[in-house]
């Protein structure tokens, strides 16, 4: 898997891929999980090259570090590999470069709204707004027990499935034949 600082574009296909950025505070727990989960769903749906995913943190506390070992372990049990990702902080170019920027919680969203140029603000959404019910924020698991990491995965998996359906519809995405895993 590519590092966090590169978009995971394997095929460019017809046209440019839709670019999605997952954002949390530290970019070592929730957004790397969302990044990995969405990448797996994209691969499962034969959409590699149609949708590219990256992640970042609003803070710089953990820049250059791999995801929290508890996130890596929990995701691995669900077939999602986070181990090659590297934390980075969101920057002003990200607001231009990405088509969809999904915050893990309302504080991440407020923080980005404060920095995002007006013309790009409509790109910002809460990931859990794609879940039909429940909380809109993914709870921060960093200071929690291991079950906090399971809860992150439960919430993120559901939301990413719904988000991908939304993307497919919105951008009329179809699978690249050579990527489609039967
Ligand atoms: P994340 O979790 O935002 O999901 O990556 C956190 C990681 C580290 C810290 C806070 C949240 N921290 O304060 O160091």
């Amino acid at each position: 898997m590519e590092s966090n600082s590169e978009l995971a574009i394997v095929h460019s296909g017809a046209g440019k891929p839709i670019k999605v950025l997952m954002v949390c505070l530290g970019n070592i727990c929730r957004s790397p999980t969302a990044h990995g989960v969405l990448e797996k769903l994209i691969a499962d749906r034969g959409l590699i090259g149609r949708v590219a995913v990256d992640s970042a943190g609003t803070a710089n506390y953990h820049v250059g570090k791999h995801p929290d070992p508890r996130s890596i372990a929990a995701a691995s049990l669900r077939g999602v590999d986070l181990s090659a990702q590297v934390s980075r902080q969101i920057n002003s170019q990200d607001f231009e470069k990405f088509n969809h920027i999904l915050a893990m919680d309302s504080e991440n969203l407020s923080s980005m709204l404060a920095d995002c140029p007006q013309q790009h603000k409509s790109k910002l959404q809460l990931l859990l707004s794609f879940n039909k019910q429940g909380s809109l924020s993914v709870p921060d698991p960093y200071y929690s027990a291991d079950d906090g990491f399971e809860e992150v995965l439960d919430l993120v998996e559901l939301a990413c499935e719904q988000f991908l359906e939304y993307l497919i519809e919105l951008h009329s995405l179809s699978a690249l034949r050579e990527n489609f895993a039967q």
Side-chain angles (χ1 to χ4, degrees):
M1 191 180 287
E2 280 102 337
S3 75
N4 237 9
S5 58
E6 297 165 27
L7 289 175
I9 302 169
V10 178
H11 293 272
S12 58
K16 290 185 190 162
I18 305 303
K19 299 185 185 71
V20 179
L21 184 66
M22 301 293 191
V23 178
C24 63
L25 177 63
N27 191 214
I28 56 165
C29 300
R30 292 166 292 172
S31 59
T33 299
H35 176 170
V37 164
L38 185 59
E39 271 189 345
K40 181 172 187 298
L41 290 172
I42 288 164
D44 290 348
R45 296 289 292 265
L47 292 169
I48 293 172
R50 300 280 196 239
V51 186
V53 193
D54 195 5
S55 62
T58 57
N60 65 359
Y61 312 143
H62 299 281
V63 167
K65 291 190 199 158
H66 291 295
D68 188 301
R70 297 168 293 175
S71 293
I72 293 177
S76 171
L77 289 174
R78 301 195 194 192
V80 177
D81 181 11
L82 310 182
S83 63
Q85 293 190 38
V86 179
S87 174
R88 73 175 181 88
Q89 189 175 23
I90 191 167
N91 59 61
S92 56
Q93 291 168 348
D94 289 324
F95 297 121
E96 282 178 35
K97 185 169 155 189
F98 287 88
N99 304 100
H100 298 273
I101 302 176
L102 301 181
M104 298 301 117
D105 70 28
S106 50
E107 280 184 28
N108 314 145
L109 182 61
S110 303
S111 157
M112 288 194 285
L113 281 168
D115 294 335
C116 184
Q118 189 61 37
Q119 71 268 31
H120 298 305
K121 282 196 164 122
S122 63
K123 297 175 178 180
L124 305 179
Q125 288 172 286
L126 286 165
L127 173 64
L128 293 197
S129 66
F130 291 93
N131 283 356
K132 297 281 181 279
Q133 55 200 17
S135 163
L136 286 174
S137 289
V138 183
D140 182 350
Y142 189 64
Y143 295 107
S144 79
D146 286 355
D147 58 357
F149 292 81
E150 293 300 323
E151 186 185 11
V152 168
L153 275 158
D154 290 341
L155 291 168
V156 161
E157 281 182 338
L158 203 58
C160 284
E161 282 168 18
Q162 299 302 321
F163 173 64
L164 189 55
E165 293 302 331
Y166 162 81
L167 275 192
I168 289 168
E169 180 103 4
L170 183 69
H171 299 285
S172 305
L173 296 174
S174 57
L176 284 169
R177 189 185 286 267
E178 67 266 35
N179 287 331
F180 191 62
Q182 288 290 341

